[in-house]
Amino acid sequence: MPGQQRRLLLGLLMLYAPEPVGLPRIVAAICPDRSVADAKPALHVQIHRLRRLLEQPGSPGEPVLSTCDGGYALRIEALTVDVRDFRCQVDRGLRLVGEGRHGAGSALLRQATTLWAGDPFGAAYPRVGRWPEVRELVEVRQRALEALFDAELALGRHVDLVAEIQEAVDRYPARERLREHLMVALYRSGRQVEAGECYRAYRSWKNATTGLEPAPRLVELHRAVLRHDPSLRAAEASTQGVHTAPVRSALLSAAAFAEQMGGHGQVVESLRLLVTGLGSDDPERARLLLRLAGARARTAVGAGTEEADEALRLFTADGDRLGIIETELTRARIAWCASRHGAARQSLTRARQLMAALPGGPPPGSLMTSAVGLLAVTGEPAAALDLADAALRNDRHRATGWENARLLTNRGLARQRLGDPGALTDHRSAVARHEEAAGWVGVSLLVNVMDAAARLGDLGEHRRTLDRADAMARIRGSSLDLRYLDAARAWKEFWANDLTAAGRRVRRWLNADDDHFLTDRCLCLDARLRLIAGDHDGAGRVAERMLDRLGRASLRDVTVTAPVIAAALAVRRDRPDRSVGELVEQALTAVGSGFLPSELGVELPYAMRACGMPPSALEAIAASPWRDAARAYLRGDGRTAAHLYVRIGSRPDATAATGTRSGLGR
């Protein structure tokens, strides 16, 4: 194909195919010294010529498609794209090797690696080597080679592997895992002296180039070589621990199937049996402990901490940065669910620092997805949104599956906290994507739809989604899913004006408090119910408890609801012990430009009206029916406010807006 720019353009489209590539990314890659506006005419010419070169007789449609945002995508229905086949074969091969099926896994990985013929883009590689897409592709190749050598060494093919591993070491001298493979292959081939020399040569090279020592794992391998450690000759036994390979494979398959079908308890049981049978030095122990920690965290508040801590210790000892990042993100999620806000922030900060220091471009999409969700819920929604958009642009597997559904719903959480009504669209898309990929819907995705619908003033959708989530939870819900839905049912009963049922349910929740992050929201409901009933002393005790939790609260909403409840209580007692205006200002600052928490209802405008605050004070808050009702109430138009609350679906707020319940409307 003539023209270097045209070849680079085609290569870039192939790296993403069949997904589109945005115009800014194309310009940055092909014409890095020009602006998008300047490069656009020349780029259109190149696209036109590329289409003519790729046209196939009898093939309908253009080979290069234009997208609505000005980008382009390569149609690949009639094309074979090596990079796409490579990724698919590597994914399948890695899964098989992880399940202990070394023969089948090595065959796929070898087939994938033979698709390579030199550097990506050939002679243009020095120029494109800085592209994040190319760096990520090279990283995938290196991981594939490492997994291939793992599998073939387990199959006893060390003699035939020495030359091949040496070639890979020469190509990627900084990959310590490849050095390990070479030392093991040499040792098992009866070449102990060369295995020791391999380590010493690498140590000298690393000292000279980085000033650092080899990782502890490589140092320990060198010591094992020197003392003729028997474990080096019995690789299969040491990696399998108590389990035979078929048992290990069966347990991994059972865990994977249970994850796919949403059977959280079965996942925990399979992984626990597997971990119990592993040797302490098994190279997969840390990874399986981390999976077990994540599975246990879905079944109980705070569960999985011990497994995550041990996995972190093992990953740190091995110098596995990606493993450390994933573990820190898991620890942050466990801490957040248990309302340990400070611990969650610390783990998230460590993970972000390590992600920023990773060489070779962005981290895997699964890590970015987890970071997006945690940033959104711990008070950094803008950073979460930026990271989500970057992940959607760069993640090679973003088009399908559970991982994409997670990313979309986590982006929805960030948009929700930024006052963007598009949050509900993201959550709905996540539900559709997961259902398309798995045939069922995760309860957590439906929960996020419920939250967004409530914030946007559509309690009808909240109720319908809750009914669907209830049905799904009976089949595939975890204990944490059931806990969440119990709290959601209390709010459903409250909004439907069944205050007695709501009171019984929320008090049952609070009596069994396990530090779940939704305790704050249930406290708000308990306080509102007591205010409506005129139980000022009881409401005061709840308000004090809410204020005590502010320092470690995981939900941003408690920083809004706690001062609002305290302000409303002060007014109703006719003896405010703190300035009502000060409390209201504190709440409005916490809302910022986000949505007014739906659980506040009429309480915020009631307190604002009592301290003489004008309707304009709500202008900075994101538009929603809740805000419109509050503004009408502040203007003294109780009838309009009540009508809006009825349309939202909250009967207690409609009643309070017209002042028909004692003490609320004065």
Side-chain angles (χ1 to χ4, degrees), residues 138-156:
V138 172
E139 172 68 22
V140 174
R141 181 192 190 186
Q142 293 168 357
R143 292 203 304 269
L145 284 171
E146 291 169 354
L148 171 62
F149 297 148
D150 274 332
E152 302 229 319
L153 285 171
L155 294 169

Side-chain angles (χ1 to χ4, degrees), residues 101-426:
R101 298 160 66 183
H102 297 122
S106 68
L108 272 174
L109 291 170
R110 186 162 293 286
Q111 183 180 350
T113 56
T114 56
L115 289 171
W116 283 70
D119 295 318
F121 288 74
Y125 178 70
R127 174 175 174 181
V128 303
R130 296 186 298 272
W131 289 7
E133 299 89 352
V134 172
R135 291 200 301 266
E136 186 261 354
L137 183 62
V138 172
E139 172 68 22
V140 174
R141 181 192 190 186
Q142 293 168 357
R143 292 203 304 269
L145 284 171
E146 291 169 354
L148 171 62
F149 297 148
D150 274 332
E152 302 229 319
L153 285 171
L155 294 169
R157 299 171 182 168
H158 40 269
V159 175
D160 299 330
L161 277 179
V162 170
E164 189 176 352
I165 300 175
Q166 182 65 64
E167 182 182 350
V169 166
D170 293 341
R171 178 179 287 274
Y172 307 116
R175 300 290 289 199
E176 292 197 356
R177 187 71 178 137
L178 294 176
R179 299 277 178 173
E180 292 178 32
H181 291 136
L182 182 55
M183 290 171 64
V184 171
L186 287 168
Y187 182 85
R188 292 183 190 169
S189 302
R191 300 159 66 176
Q192 180 199 1
V193 175
E194 292 176 68
E197 181 56 36
C198 174
Y199 170 79
R200 288 188 291 273
Y202 174 69
R203 183 171 183 268
S204 299
W205 177 86
K206 187 164 186 177
N207 281 332
T209 55
T210 67
L212 301 175
E213 290 290 321
R217 178 167 169 163
L218 194 62
V219 175
E220 183 55 39
L221 177 60
H222 179 233
R223 291 172 180 162
V225 167
L226 294 178
R227 65 175 180 263
H228 296 274
D229 194 318
S231 65
L232 293 179
R233 295 192 301 272
E236 189 69 21
S238 67
T239 57
Q240 298 302 336
V242 175
H243 295 311
T244 62
V247 171
R248 181 189 181 105
S249 177
L251 288 171
L252 282 166
S253 297
F257 180 75
E259 284 174 334
Q260 187 179 17
M261 300 307 294
H264 304 289
Q266 296 94 324
V267 175
V268 171
E269 188 61 27
S270 297
L271 291 175
R272 183 180 282 126
L273 284 171
L274 186 55
V275 169
T276 301
L278 290 179
S280 59
D281 60 344
D282 192 296
E284 290 300 312
R285 183 175 181 82
R287 182 65 52 188
L288 291 170
L289 278 168
L290 184 56
R291 283 181 65 186
L292 177 58
R296 289 198 63 215
R298 298 187 196 100
T299 63
V301 175
T305 302
E306 299 85 359
E307 291 84 357
D309 289 346
E310 186 181 350
L312 180 62
R313 180 183 62 79
L314 294 172
F315 282 131
T316 303
D318 283 346
D320 186 336
R321 292 190 189 181
L322 291 178
I324 295 171
I325 293 170
E326 188 174 357
T327 308
E328 289 288 14
L329 292 172
T330 299
R331 295 172 81 219
R333 186 167 63 252
I334 292 171
W336 179 75
C337 287
S339 295
R340 299 198 303 271
H341 204 189
R345 282 184 174 276
Q346 289 174 4
S347 290
L348 177 57
T349 299
R350 285 193 291 268
R352 292 180 70 191
Q353 290 170 344
L354 289 169
M355 287 168 69
L358 281 176
S366 59
L367 300 186
M368 297 177 74
T369 297
S370 296
V372 168
L374 288 163
L375 284 169
V377 299
T378 56
E380 297 186 65
L385 188 58
D386 290 342
L387 188 60
D389 290 340
L392 287 169
R393 288 193 301 269
N394 294 319
D395 183 14
R396 298 277 71 75
H397 305 289
R398 65 190 180 281
T400 58
W402 165 236
E403 218 30 81
N404 183 255
R406 279 186 63 219
L407 181 56
L408 285 172
T409 200
N410 286 347
R411 185 176 72 167
L413 292 175
R415 296 173 76 178
Q416 191 171 311
R417 283 154 176 77
L418 290 170
D420 182 349
L424 186 55
T425 302
D426 272 349

Side-chain angles (χ1 to χ4, degrees), residues 7-60:
R7 291 196 296 274
L8 293 178
L9 175 59
L10 175 60
L12 183 65
L13 295 176
M14 291 168 74
L15 284 169
Y16 280 84
E19 295 300 312
V21 189
L23 189 59
R25 176 65 196 122
I26 295 176
V27 172
I30 310 301
C31 312
D33 300 327
R34 302 176 66 180
S35 67
V36 174
D38 290 343
K40 209 171 183 179
L43 184 61
H44 286 167
V45 172
Q46 295 293 347
I47 290 289
H48 173 70
R49 292 176 179 171
L50 185 59
R51 282 171 172 159
R52 291 182 59 187
L53 285 165
L54 294 178
E55 282 176 353
Q56 300 181 26
S59 177

Side-chain angles (χ1 to χ4, degrees), residues 480-492:
L480 286 186
D481 292 332
L482 298 174
R483 288 281 282 142
Y484 186 101
L485 295 179
D486 199 43
R489 281 189 285 269
W491 277 104
K492 174 186 173 182

